Amino acid sequence: MLYGADYNPDQWPEDVWDDDVRLMQEAGVNIVSLGIFAWSRIQPTEDAWDFAWLDAVIDKLHAGGIAVNLATATASPPPWVSKTYPETLPANESGASYWPGSRQHFAPSSPIYRRLAGELVRRLAERYVHHPAVVMWHVGNEFGCHLWMDFSDAARDAYRGWLENRYATVEALNQAWGTSFWSQRYGSFDEIFPPRLAPYSHNPSSMLDWRRFTSDMLLECYLMEREILLEAGATQPITTNFMGPFKPADYRKWAPFMDVIADDCYPDPANPNRVRDAAFQRDLARSLKPGAPWLLWEQATDAVNWRPANPGKRPGALVAETAQSIARGADGIMFFQWRQSRAGSEKFHSAMLPHAGTETRTWDAVTELGARLAALPELPTPGRDAQVALVFDWENWWAVEERDHPTEVDYLALVLEWYGAFHARGIQVDIVGPEEVDHAYDLVVAPALYLLRDEGASALARFVDDGGTLLTGPFTDIVDAHDQFRAGGFLTQLGPLLGLRFEDFGVLAGLSSGGSGVGALSADAVQAARDAASRGTVTFELDGVEQSGRLVAETVHAAGATVVAAFSSGPQAGAPALTRHRFGSGEAWYTATQPVSNGASAGGPSADALDAVVAAVVAASGVRPVVADLPAGVEAARRGDLVTLINHGDARVEIALDGTDAETGVAVERVVLDPQGVAFVSAPAATSDPATPRARATASATHS
Ligand code: GLA
């Protein structure tokens, strides 16, 4: 288990470096990410290079038994770069420059930035690639974190090349973007601009490509550096730090080029859903590269500095949050940062070694955590072990949240709601792309899969045909990979599976207090419309209980499907609200509204509509929780034989579980947890076949 932090010794006088190594040893640190923002120190002018200090630090760490994840230091170009090469600066959508003075002030597509960054990486690689302390390479840092999109001239030129590469002919692009609309037909690629500030909505198909391009430019920067490291003979794992579900970068496309997935996660202590949201992020990190380890690359020991208010963690929360990562597959626990900064924007950010020193609650927590991690047994690298997969797709995210739709959809919020219902029930979930859905799973949930690629549609159909259970719902299967309607209406791909014919979206909204109009809606009118949409609800009756839906009450017609629940109010009263349909050996379910969730947190189902729907599909698919009957607030996850139980609630709880305490080796029959308490229990999974419909279908296919 790796344990450590970002280490920025260049921010400190040399006389603390020995102390740093000594205290790292005391805390159980075995690795640091070194020099992430050290470019200006390594290359103070274009022609001057200073590696002496870095040599000294690496040697000290090595002598102290601390491994180095060496940064390529390219995330913050030195002042001389911006002065000499202003064309490396990125621009906003009005074309105004982002200026230096912070960090990440580079245009990812700038050939000059890439040349300068590449030279830095080459020099670092040549010098340190064979140093025994260097066990990993950290490329850039949180690509795109602050700069979500760059509209500079460098981006314009690269975008034109990227489009030409994608479409070959401008006519193919015209088709893909539907440019006959609003006189947008292009005569050549050099007529195309980034979607800079325009009077009204940009072409949505072009926006989708723009987002693909943006993600690809960041990825190209990573790949350029990776290539240089490999050419220099790097044999260590190469990675960069992800930021969980980060909209600008399609991490599923990046994952094949990461030797390990590294993820940064900063749960907001003030967010009531922080446990759920962090669990999702960790499951995503694991699912991006099954069979490869993932590392929690940055978290905070206590408060951060970058939210409007920055409360500290509750006592015990550091261990509880860390345990959640280990439970969900992490092989390393790292922090931003080792020693708290004395100057700069992040001087109030917590660190492993606080400004107040070692006689602090933080230092106690850090050393306790180091000791507990060291005591853990070797843990297996998880593969695709969950019974349930939740589909989460970046291209769909970009497309479904484009403007000018029947209603606004917050895709991530919706996905998290569905995830939350499983999390609350202690059911383990993988987070996958539609094309990754296969018979490894018993149940697949695919919310709001507005953009459905042909390959994704085929994978879902195959999955159901093979005996799987699929649940999907509103705003699914509307457009193709170019954000265009397919011929023949909606649900063109999944309709046969679902046994449904789709007629209308039935957007729900309460009365609006704001004005209306065409063209530029005032900010007040936009807000009023959003408020009205949030008040729109519908009811449906499931198992004799009246439940609520929101967002839409779609008109769908059963074409073979069985109606499980019907709307009990509104214009669609009597029409299908929840349906199921046998298809091949499996079954496909559909909700025609978004069931309202009360936002259940870990530890037992809540009495909400979303949970009621989840309960129905869980029962139908034979999916089982990691541990049954969890008390409220308790989270459970399985990793091989290791069951981790975490009490996020405020009361002491007791859970029946046969196994061995993985830290002490003592046999247990029940686990008692104080608030924020964590237990790691070795408890092999029951071997009895759960006899899910999918397992039965597979068995009968094998026998026949
Ligand atoms: C990110 C960055 C770090 C630091 C932290 C602060 O994770 O990678 O450099 O800014 O945020 O929380």
Side-chain angles (χ1 to χ4, degrees):
M1 186 67 67
L2 301 180
Y3 190 52
D6 287 13
Y7 183 36
N8 299 303
D10 44 321
Q11 295 178 10
W12 288 87
E14 280 186 44
D15 57 17
V16 304
W17 295 352
D18 286 325
D19 259 6
D20 279 339
V21 174
R22 181 179 56 78
L23 289 169
M24 284 175 191
Q25 290 167 335
E26 198 176 310
V29 165
N30 53 25
I31 185 169
V32 291
S33 303
L34 183 62
I36 294 179
F37 294 102
W39 190 348
S40 70
R41 179 73 185 261
I42 296 170
Q43 192 185 8
T45 69
E46 189 161 5
D47 304 315
W49 297 87
D50 177 6
F51 291 103
W53 69 277
L54 196 52
D55 291 349
V57 173
I58 295 180
D59 289 344
K60 275 183 199 295
L61 290 164
H62 187 49
I66 290 156
V68 172
N69 165 44
L70 190 57
T72 59
T74 53
S76 190
W80 63 261
V81 172
S82 314
K83 176 169 178 274
T84 317
Y85 304 105
E87 60 274 49
T88 60
L89 294 172
N92 70 13
E93 59 170 359
S94 303
S97 186
Y98 290 99
W99 296 99
S102 178
R103 62 175 175 185
Q104 227 173 72
H105 46 282
F106 63 87
S109 21
S110 157
I112 298 175
Y113 166 75
R114 290 190 186 185
R115 174 173 65 73
L116 296 170
E119 178 63 10
L120 171 64
V121 180
R122 194 178 57 74
R123 298 240 184 180
L124 279 163
E126 283 170 356
R127 192 169 189 95
Y128 298 112
V129 81
H130 299 302
H131 196 296
V134 177
V135 299
M136 207 176 298
W137 290 95
H138 180 100
V139 173
N141 193 61
E142 292 192 340
F143 278 98
C145 158
H146 307 297
L147 196 89
W148 285 33
M149 284 179 182
D150 166 37
F151 299 82
S152 66
D153 286 351
R156 176 200 59 201
D157 296 346
Y159 188 40
R160 290 172 180 170
W162 184 93
L163 288 168
E164 190 159 4
N165 191 39
R166 180 173 175 82
Y167 291 108
T169 67
V170 79
E171 191 40 40
L173 174 139
N174 281 319
Q175 288 299 323
W177 287 10
T179 53
S180 298
F181 184 77
W182 282 354
S183 178
Q184 292 169 352
R185 176 167 291 277
Y186 293 101
S188 64
F189 285 101
D190 63 11
E191 291 173 1
I192 299 170
F193 285 86
R196 293 175 178 162
L197 193 64
Y200 189 43
S201 314
H202 274 284
N203 177 318
S205 304
S206 78
M207 288 305 292
L208 181 57
D209 272 339
W210 171 251
R211 288 208 172 259
R212 289 181 175 124
F213 162 80
T214 297
S215 175
D216 279 3
M217 284 308 101
L218 297 169
L219 177 56
E220 275 189 8
C221 287
Y222 169 82
L223 290 174
M224 173 202 72
E225 296 194 23
R226 179 182 161 87
E227 208 41 53
I228 294 170
L229 293 170
L230 292 173
E231 273 167 17
T235 52
Q236 303 91 338
I238 301 171
T239 191
T240 187
N241 39 355
F242 287 175
M243 293 161 279
F246 176 63
K247 190 172 173 185
D250 181 351
Y251 287 153
R252 199 164 285 116
K253 196 169 171 191
W254 290 48
F257 308 106
M258 305 293 140
D259 295 322
V260 290
I261 300 293
D263 192 60
D264 297 353
C265 184
Y266 293 91
D268 179 356
N271 172 6
N273 289 317
R274 67 187 176 283
V275 172
R276 175 199 74 177
D277 295 0
F280 173 83
Q281 180 164 344
R282 306 188 202 292
D283 283 346
L284 175 64
R286 181 192 64 243
S287 305
L288 282 172
K289 195 147 193 169
W294 75 270
L295 308 166
L296 175 59
W297 216 224
E298 283 182 29
Q299 65 172 344
T301 55
D302 200 6
V304 301
N305 64 291
W306 40 265
R307 295 190 175 103
N310 297 295
K313 292 189 198 290
R314 301 165 67 186
L318 180 58
V319 173
E321 288 174 7
T322 301
Q324 189 187 49
S325 302
I326 296 166
R328 297 177 186 277
D331 274 354
I333 302 298
M334 310 273 288
F335 295 95
F336 174 83
Q337 59 176 331
W338 162 250
R339 183 187 276 274
Q340 187 168 357
S341 298
R342 263 172 70 187
S345 299
E346 293 180 331
K347 62 183 176 297
F348 285 105
H349 197 293
S350 59
M352 291 183 91
L353 180 58
H355 187 57
T358 52
E359 285 181 23
T360 49
R361 197 187 74 170
T362 300
W363 182 254
D364 291 346
V366 157
T367 45
E368 181 205 324
L369 185 59
R372 282 189 81 171
L373 293 180
L376 282 177
E378 182 125 344
L379 298 171
T381 302
R384 295 215 183 280
D385 303 328
Q387 280 185 284
V388 180
L390 180 61
V391 174
F392 175 67
D393 182 69
W394 267 266
E395 290 195 348
N396 177 57
W397 193 358
W398 300 333
V400 77
E401 291 188 356
E402 222 4 92
R403 50 188 289 182
D404 309 323
H405 284 177
T407 189
E408 289 182 354
V409 172
D410 183 337
Y411 179 56
L412 180 59
L414 212 71
V415 165
L416 285 168
E417 274 183 29
W418 285 105
Y419 176 84
F422 290 91
H423 182 253
R425 290 173 161 266
I427 295 173
Q428 202 132 322
V429 175
D430 284 345
I431 316 296
V432 303
E435 291 78 8
E436 292 175 299
V437 166
D438 67 16
H439 58 269
Y441 301 109
D442 292 295
L443 172 62
V444 168
V445 184
L449 201 51
Y450 161 86
L451 181 153
L452 181 58
R453 293 175 293 271
D454 295 350
E455 305 75 26
S458 315
L460 293 175
R462 221 169 21 246
F463 166 72
V464 178
D465 196 26
D466 284 355
T469 304
L470 171 71
L471 170 67
T472 186
F475 238 57
T476 293
D477 186 7
I478 308 292
V479 298
D480 66 11
H482 297 302
D483 199 3
Q484 294 200 20
F485 294 157
R486 289 185 172 92
F490 306 113
L491 285 184
T492 56
Q493 309 300 292
L494 302 184
L497 236 70
L498 294 161
L500 290 180
R501 186 172 61 77
F502 182 98
E503 185 184 330
D504 187 44
F505 296 102
V507 169
L508 295 169
L511 283 181
S512 167
S513 55
S516 60
V518 177
L521 290 180
S522 70
D524 285 352
V526 170
Q527 193 49 50
R530 285 195 180 122
D531 292 346
S534 72
R535 284 193 299 271
T537 55
V538 69
T539 54
F540 59 97
E541 204 173 300
L542 178 58
D543 292 333
V545 179
E546 178 147 292
Q547 305 284 5
S548 305
R550 62 178 188 87
L551 214 58
V552 289
E554 295 175 341
T555 305
V556 292
H557 301 280
T562 305
V563 178
V564 180
F567 286 116
S568 49
S569 62
Q572 279 84 344
L578 177 67
T579 62
R580 62 194 288 185
H581 180 238
R582 297 293 310 170
F583 179 85
S585 313
E587 200 172 39
W589 293 62
Y590 192 81
T591 60
T593 182
Q594 176 60 26
V596 170
S597 161
N598 299 329
S601 57
S606 69
D608 63 14
L610 191 113
D611 183 68
V613 171
V614 165
V617 289
V618 161
S621 58
V623 165
R624 297 191 304 190
V626 173
V627 174
D629 304 323
L630 283 176
V634 175
E635 175 174 16
R638 171 177 289 285
R639 177 173 178 185
D641 286 350
L642 187 82
V643 172
T644 304
L645 295 166
I646 310 169
N647 181 10
H648 299 286
D650 293 323
R652 167 181 270 230
V653 294
E654 213 179 292
I655 303 132
L657 181 65
D658 278 327
T660 313
D661 184 311
E663 290 169 285
T664 62
V666 174
V668 294
E669 286 175 353
R670 62 191 190 99
V671 173
V672 180
L673 292 176
D674 287 328
Q676 306 297 312
V678 170
F680 296 109
V681 180
S682 177
T687 46
S688 68
D689 179 7
T692 62
R694 215 244 331 122
R696 283 198 299 272
T698 312
S700 71
T702 319
H703 293 148
S704 58

